[in-house]
Amino acid sequence: MFQIKRICCIGAGYVGGPTCSVIAQMCPEITVTVVDINDSRIKAWNSDTLPIYEPGLKDVVESCRGRNLFFSTDIDSAIRDADLVFISVLSNPEFLAEGTAVKNLKEPDRVLIGGDETAEGQKAVKALCAVYENWVPKAKIITTNTWSSELSKLAANAFLAQRISSINSISALCEATGADVEEVATAIGMDQRIGSKFLKASVGFGGSCFQKDVLNLVYLCEALNLPEVASYWQQVIDMNEYQRRRFACRIIDCLFNTVTGKKIALLGFSFKKDTGDTRESSSIYISKYLMDEGAKLFIYDPKVLKGQIIQDLSHPSISEDKPERELVTVTTDPYEACQSAHALVICTEWDMFKELDYEKIYKKMLKPAFIFDGRRVLDHLHAHLQDIGFQIETIGKKVVATRIPYTPAAVCPRIEASEPPAKKAKV
């Protein structure tokens, strides 16, 4: 059987970098070269400050970089010397979750390899299987035809996104009835037919994969004249957008139906904890809705750099001008972000937000002081926070106590995916 000695991976991003770094560590006899046209990204991979944050990744890279792991912009040479080029030879979809990518790669639920049902295609499949067999049990390596492999990737992410949208839809019902979505999720999650994973209500899913893959599925169904199937999966995206808007509307309603000129501390900008990735982060869209109403945002995230936050909020679909001029300030201290704020909004479930000194924060905020917990990270502190004096609003639950009455909007405005935004923040 043909043995792979040299691998080239095109793309040094969130998938290519970690995947090939782990392959290099687990297969010391194979030389792995990761190439990219982005010179600054390659320089970062070759430095002490990697271009992406992922727990455990730096140790993996440093254990084999310069020995059998290389990062280069010389794409032609890497392809020419390679026995296998990732992406262009086979269908080998990744099933990584950012924040646990290294663990996912070293202890995968499965490895899926798809190839043409030809002699040459099957030869390539077997060669790649041999690479993964260096650390993955054979029983967890699945081989399929190319279409099955690609659709398995789309379907897996669509199913996960669907579960999040499903529990988020129930969170709206819980708020209207007095139920607690966490209790509902626990109850239904104990049913073995359903399971407990991905039943965490929040401000919505983000990241590069879920929305992209669901929309790819929608497009594929439309192209193949399956409009009912396309409409079904489109609802997963629509519900995610509704949840984001609903949360932003709730902030505005609670702050006496206006946030114009009010300082709001937004804690967390990455799409989930333990990553610096902001792609499709719900924080971006919540920021947009609040900026549209004239709110002044003070944003803190422990891993996302100021430049990335400003870049995301300067996109033409988000704002008309550079937002940092008036409406956005990025801070390096959560306490500074909360100084003289009308409200504190948690958009990412970073563990550190559970440990903040909320008595100190309350003293520095304007009164009445509101906390909007979009990730349910402060559930265990509700009684304490109310004793301090905070007004608490969270996802999927009414936090009753001395709640300041407000008049919620009858209907949370919606924008269809095909329509342009009603307005953009002009700063």
Side-chain angles (χ1 to χ4, degrees):
M1 183 182 70
F2 174 72
Q3 287 189 326
I4 294 173
K5 293 296 184 181
R6 291 181 175 272
I7 290 176
C8 169
C9 175
I10 301 175
Y14 282 91
V15 175
T19 298
C20 286
S21 295
V22 170
I23 289 177
Q25 186 183 55
M26 306 306 284
C27 307
E29 74 283 359
I30 297 177
T31 299
V32 180
T33 303
V34 184
V35 295
D36 202 293
I37 61 173
N38 189 323
D39 183 62
S40 62
R41 179 179 293 174
I42 292 299
K43 286 180 178 177
W45 279 110
N46 284 316
S47 73
D48 291 332
T49 306
L50 302 186
I52 63 175
Y53 172 73
E54 189 68 40
L57 178 60
K58 188 175 183 181
D59 291 339
V60 172
V61 172
E62 291 179 346
S63 72
C64 45
R65 186 175 58 194
R67 287 194 285 272
N68 70 319
L69 174 64
F70 302 91
F71 297 93
S72 172
T73 56
D74 189 354
I75 299 174
D76 292 341
S77 295
I79 292 175
R80 184 173 56 249
D81 296 341
D83 299 319
L84 182 146
V85 180
F86 266 101
I87 298 173
S88 62
V89 175
L90 298 168
S91 171
N92 180 212
E94 48 82 22
F95 298 95
L96 308 181
E98 289 186 44
T100 57
V102 173
K103 184 177 187 297
N104 297 154
L105 287 162
K106 291 186 174 182
E107 303 171 18
D109 293 331
R110 78 288 201 197
V111 171
L112 181 57
I113 302 172
D116 293 339
E117 296 176 339
T118 62
E120 185 178 18
Q122 292 304 299
K123 179 182 177 182
V125 168
K126 290 180 180 178
L128 186 53
C129 285
V131 172
Y132 283 109
E133 285 171 7
N134 279 281
W135 78 95
V136 180
K138 288 185 178 181
K140 289 189 175 184
I141 301 175
I142 304 170
T143 59
T144 69
N145 65 42
T146 305
W147 262 114
S148 293
S149 175
E150 291 300 305
L151 280 181
S152 294
K153 166 64 174 177
L154 297 184
N157 278 339
F159 273 55
L160 295 174
Q162 179 195 48
R163 284 175 70 93
I164 296 172
S165 282
S166 293
I167 198 63
N168 280 343
S169 72
I170 298 300
S171 75
L173 185 59
C174 288
E175 291 167 25
T177 60
D180 182 345
V181 72
E182 287 284 296
E183 295 175 351
V184 173
T186 298
I188 64 177
M190 292 180 72
D191 187 325
Q192 294 183 1
R193 297 168 298 175
I194 298 173
S196 61
K197 300 292 181 64
F198 281 78
L199 290 180
K200 183 72 173 178
S202 69
V203 288
F205 59 76
S208 65
C209 291
F210 281 5
Q211 177 163 305
K212 169 180 63 67
D213 287 350
V214 173
L215 289 176
N216 280 341
L217 200 58
V218 170
Y219 172 80
L220 190 60
C221 292
E222 290 175 341
L224 296 174
N225 196 28
L226 298 169
E228 293 83 3
V229 182
S231 178
Y232 175 84
W233 287 109
Q234 180 63 48
Q235 286 298 311
V236 173
I237 301 299
D238 292 346
M239 179 55 63
N240 198 51
E241 169 66 11
Y242 167 74
Q243 186 75 345
R244 291 166 170 170
R245 255 181 201 289
R246 194 173 70 83
F247 187 65
C249 287
R250 191 168 172 190
I251 295 171
I252 296 166
D253 291 340
C254 286
L255 293 180
F256 312 104
N257 293 316
T258 181
V259 292
T260 302
K262 293 181 178 179
K263 177 178 176 179
I264 296 178
L266 194 147
L267 302 187
F269 202 81
S270 59
F271 83 91
K272 61 185 281 190
K273 73 175 184 177
D274 294 335
T275 180
D277 192 356
T278 64
R279 290 176 292 178
E280 292 301 324
S281 173
S282 290
S283 300
I284 297 173
Y285 297 95
I286 291 167
S287 295
K288 169 191 163 43
Y289 302 144
L290 295 175
M291 287 193 300
D292 284 348
E293 299 297 325
K296 294 185 176 181
L297 305 181
F298 281 65
I299 301 173
Y300 168 79
D301 188 282
K303 290 298 178 181
V304 182
L305 299 178
K306 175 182 178 179
Q308 184 63 56
I309 293 174
I310 297 303
Q311 178 181 318
D312 290 335
L313 296 182
S314 299
H315 191 276
S317 66
I318 303 298
S319 63
E320 290 184 343
D321 205 346
K322 291 185 178 180
E324 76 271 28
R325 290 183 183 173
E326 182 178 338
L327 296 183
V328 174
T329 301
V330 180
T331 74
T332 58
D333 181 356
Y335 297 101
E336 179 186 343
C338 297
Q339 176 79 43
S340 301
H342 290 80
L344 181 165
V345 181
I346 296 178
C347 288
T348 308
E349 70 280 20
W350 287 102
D351 290 336
M352 67 170 295
F353 296 155
K354 302 175 185 178
E355 309 299 328
L356 295 177
D357 185 343
Y358 284 98
E359 290 190 30
K360 176 180 177 181
I361 288 174
Y362 180 78
K363 291 176 182 178
K364 291 185 175 184
M365 290 179 66
L366 298 183
K367 311 301 185 293
F370 286 84
I371 291 179
F372 297 90
D373 185 0
R375 293 290 181 175
R376 297 290 298 254
V377 298
L378 301 180
D379 280 12
H380 64 298
L381 292 175
H382 282 172
H384 175 60
L385 294 172
Q386 287 176 324
D387 287 342
I388 292 173
F390 280 108
Q391 299 291 319
I392 311 294
E393 298 289 334
T394 192
I395 295 285
K397 179 183 180 182
K398 287 182 178 178
V399 183
V400 294
T402 55
R403 187 182 192 184
I404 295 176
Y406 70 95
T407 305
V411 178
C412 185
R414 293 185 62 189
I415 295 177
E416 298 300 327
S418 59
E419 297 179 3
K423 62 178 179 177
K424 300 174 186 175
K426 189 171 183 178
V427 297

